[in-house]
């Protein structure tokens, strides 16, 4: 038995396009919040000279990640910017000099045990590069290694358009397996499952070829059903275990790590070059020449699109990520982030939302939800402002994959309602907690 999902158009136009390195733009804007958790704290000031790989912001808490420069040049200003999620965060604006001088601080870390390995991963600035943005070292900080049965390597890449993980497997497969050997050595785990969708035959062949000489590594070919790459879905479909409600993969004896994140860690341990650039897919109906590119973190989307060949028309909507879970950007000045795996630029026809009509209670949303939630009931409870009912309906489990909206014949905005309902529940639970603490 597999968790449910939907069939979406793959549109993997760039699967066979090796990434092209883009010329460095005149300026980069690097936000201090490119990960889940507390924003990083800038340690540079206006007028400072910086080089490639230099630390420009330090982690400001346990769930945080340091940030390094992907360019050489001069700090133009320390400013604030509005993210695509509407939050105001500090940012470092660097005027580049085009020299791309390497920082003297870039050198391989000294790693000799689990503690130093996790510390090195933290110093690298690694976060989930599949889009989640969770600081990777936190995942690897396993207190009881006896609870860990397997590592699931997420190579599903189930969103339409995106092929940056596919290129990692094809172009940097050796790095992926060096990463596996590092986790074997320091986490003492012996079972590794690479979960990859069946619509990537070349990547499957490459991974199987490399796995032939690696003990304990299995390449699990999965149906190309969205959202195969969702953490809960992937764990169930690879190791047959359910992540408990409110729990983490480790509660099921598993660590899930994105394939590109793993390849990056291996490269960092060898070279000491921190996370300063991203391979990302540039595609969509407004793009002239769909391709994969390598760009420094902080380069604006507008500069990326121009350097990648430009657009056929004025984009009506531009997304970080794919069309199912991607986030619309407010303008083309938005920067490439650590967890940006794609830029999808849509023309007016593709971006135009369909007309919404009343619910016909067909149950398609319930039938196709991977986690068997009932978006119809959630919508009713949200409209009535019933947080206890939202809690009973487990709205907090929703991973916002968009399957419900995709299959709805009435084209209702179900995933957006789920997001709003989750916020209602969070506020309600926070108020309850504050009230209880006030009584103590």
């Amino acid at each position: 038995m597999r968790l449910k999902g939907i069939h979406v158009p793959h549109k993997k136009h760039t699967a066979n396009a090796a990434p092209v390195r883009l010329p460095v733009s005149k300026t980069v804007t690097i936000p201090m919040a490119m990960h889940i958790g507390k924003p990083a704290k800038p340690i540079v000031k206006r007028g400072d000279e910086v080089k490639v790989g230099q630390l420009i912001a330090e982690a400001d808490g346990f769930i945080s990640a340091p940030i390094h420069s992907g360019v050489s040049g001069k700090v133009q200003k320390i400013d604030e910017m509005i993210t695509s999620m509407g939050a105001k965060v500090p940012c470092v604006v660097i005027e580049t000099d085009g020299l791309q001088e390497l920082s003297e601080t870039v050198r391989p870390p000294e790693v000799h045990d689990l503690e130093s390995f996790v510390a090195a991963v933290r110093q690298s600035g690694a976060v989930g590069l599949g889009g989640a943005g969770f600081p990777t070292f936190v995942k690897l900080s396993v207190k009881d290694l006896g609870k860990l049965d397997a590592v699931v390597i997420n190579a599903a890449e189930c969103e339409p358009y995106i092929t940056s993980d596919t290129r990692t497997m094809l172009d940097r497969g050796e790095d992926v397996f060096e990463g596996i050997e590092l986790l074997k050595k320091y986490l003492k785990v012996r079972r590794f499952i690479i979960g990859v969708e069946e619509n990537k035959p070349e990547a499957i062949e490459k991974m199987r070829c490399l796995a032939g000489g690696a003990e304990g590594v299995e390449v699990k070919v999965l149906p190309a059903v969205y959202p195969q790459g969702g953490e809960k879905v992937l764990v169930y479909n690879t190791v047959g275990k359910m992540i408990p409600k409110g729990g983490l993969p480790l509660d099921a004896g598993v660590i899930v790590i994105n394939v590109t994140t793993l390849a990056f860690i291996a490269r960092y341990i060898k070279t000491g070059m921190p996370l300063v650039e991203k391979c990302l897919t540039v595609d969509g109906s407004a793009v002239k020449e769909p391709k994969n590119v390598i760009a420094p973190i902080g380069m604006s989307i507008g500069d990326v699109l121009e350097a990648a060949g430009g657009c056929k028309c004025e984009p009506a909507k531009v997304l970080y990520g794919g069309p199912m879970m991607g986030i619309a950007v407010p303008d083309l000045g938005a920067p490439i982030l650590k967890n940006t795996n794609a830029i999808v630029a849509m023309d007016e026809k593709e971006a135009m939302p369909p007309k919404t009509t009343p619910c016909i209670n067909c149950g398609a949303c319930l039938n196709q939800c991977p986690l068997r939630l009932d978006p119809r009931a959630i919508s009713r409870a949200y409209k009535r402002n019933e947080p206890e009912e939202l809690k009973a309906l487990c709205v907090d489990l929703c991973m916002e994959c968009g399957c419900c909206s995709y299959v709805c014949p009435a084209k209702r905005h179900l995933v957006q309602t789920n997001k709003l309902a989750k916020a209602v529940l969070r506020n309600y639970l926070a108020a309850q907690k504050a009230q209880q603490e006030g009584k103590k």
Side-chain angles (χ1 to χ4, degrees), residues 8 30 37 40 48-49 95 106-107 118 130 135 144 156 160 163 165 216 218 243 249 265 282 295 323 344 402 433:
V8 296
I30 305 176
D48 284 355
E49 300 282 346
E95 183 178 5
V106 174
R107 54 182 178 271
V118 172
D144 184 359
T163 64
D165 281 349
E218 172 190 355
I243 299 173
I265 290 171
V282 178
V344 174
K433 183 179 178 182

Side-chain angles (χ1 to χ4, degrees), residues 293-317:
V293 302
I294 298 172
I297 291 165
M299 188 171 178
S300 75
I301 289 174
D303 286 340
V304 169
L305 288 173
E306 183 179 351
C311 292
K312 295 182 287 188
C313 60
E314 186 72 22
K317 181 177 287 187

Side-chain angles (χ1 to χ4, degrees), residues 295-344:
I297 291 165
M299 188 171 178
S300 75
I301 289 174
D303 286 340
V304 169
L305 288 173
E306 183 179 351
C311 292
K312 295 182 287 188
C313 60
E314 186 72 22
K317 181 177 287 187
V318 178
L319 304 175
Y320 280 130
M324 295 301 294
M325 293 187 74
I327 302 295
V329 299
D331 57 65
L332 296 183
I336 300 302
L337 309 175
K338 286 186 177 184
N339 60 338
T340 304
N341 55 7
I343 295 298
V344 174

Side-chain angles (χ1 to χ4, degrees), residues 51-111:
K51 296 180 179 180
V52 176
Q54 180 178 330
L55 182 71
I56 60 171
E58 57 190 13
D60 193 21
F62 180 66
I63 310 294
S64 187
I67 296 172
H68 306 76
S69 176
V71 298
S72 61
K74 182 180 289 187
V75 177
Q76 198 176 72
K77 57 182 173 179
I78 308 297
D79 205 352
E80 285 190 326
M81 61 173 287
I82 303 295
T83 70
S84 57
M85 301 299 288
K88 185 181 286 188
V89 300
C91 63
V92 176
V93 181
I94 302 172
E95 183 178 5
T96 65
D97 57 20
L99 301 176
Q100 290 301 87
E101 288 186 86
L102 187 65
S103 171
E104 300 80 5
T105 60
V106 174
R107 54 182 178 271
E110 293 185 11
V111 177

Side-chain angles (χ1 to χ4, degrees), residues 137-301:
F137 84 93
V138 179
K139 283 189 177 183
L140 302 179
S141 301
V142 182
K143 293 181 180 179
D144 184 359
L145 293 178
K147 291 183 177 180
L148 185 57
D149 300 321
V151 173
V152 174
I153 300 165
N154 190 347
E157 200 166 50
C158 56
E159 276 262 12
Y161 291 115
I162 307 175
T163 64
S164 50
D165 281 349
T166 298
R167 294 314 310 181
T168 292
M169 290 183 277
L170 293 175
D171 305 328
R172 300 172 55 200
E174 290 76 11
D175 285 344
V176 175
F177 278 78
E178 286 183 21
I180 288 173
E181 291 304 316
L182 287 169
L183 297 190
K184 277 186 183 180
K185 181 176 181 179
Y186 296 116
L187 293 180
K188 310 299 182 186
V189 64
R190 290 292 174 262
R191 187 184 181 200
F192 292 80
I193 305 101
I194 302 173
V196 56
E197 285 191 326
E198 62 190 357
N199 63 349
K200 303 170 184 65
E202 294 88 355
I204 291 168
E205 183 181 356
K206 180 70 178 283
M207 291 295 98
R208 280 179 167 168
C209 179
L210 291 168
E215 184 181 351
V217 182
E218 172 190 355
V219 179
K220 183 118 180 168
V221 180
L222 302 165
V225 177
Y226 178 85
Q228 192 67 261
E231 202 168 61
K232 291 181 175 68
V233 176
L234 187 67
V235 168
Y236 185 80
N237 288 344
T238 51
V239 299
K241 294 183 178 180
M242 295 289 291
I243 299 173
K245 185 177 186 293
L248 299 170
L250 191 57
D251 296 315
V254 174
I255 287 176
V256 179
I257 188 166
N258 169 264
V259 67
T260 299
T261 306
L262 186 58
F264 163 73
I265 290 171
R267 186 72 63 90
Y268 174 74
I269 296 299
K270 285 189 297 184
T271 67
M273 177 57 74
L275 182 58
V276 296
E277 63 183 17
K278 279 304 302 288
C279 173
L280 60 143
T281 301
V282 178
D283 205 342
S285 52
V287 173
K288 276 185 185 176
E289 305 169 22
K291 60 185 65 171
N292 289 301
V293 302
I294 298 172
I297 291 165
M299 188 171 178
S300 75
I301 289 174

Side-chain angles (χ1 to χ4, degrees), residues 310-377:
C311 292
K312 295 182 287 188
C313 60
E314 186 72 22
K317 181 177 287 187
V318 178
L319 304 175
Y320 280 130
M324 295 301 294
M325 293 187 74
I327 302 295
V329 299
D331 57 65
L332 296 183
I336 300 302
L337 309 175
K338 286 186 177 184
N339 60 338
T340 304
N341 55 7
I343 295 298
V344 174
M346 301 177 174
D347 62 20
E348 191 170 352
K349 181 180 177 182
E350 188 180 25
M352 183 65 67
K355 183 180 178 181
T356 302
T357 56
C359 175
I360 60 173
N361 282 311
C362 64
C365 55
L366 170 62
N367 291 335
Q368 298 303 324
C369 176
L371 302 180
R372 295 177 174 83
L373 303 181
D374 189 347
R376 301 166 305 170

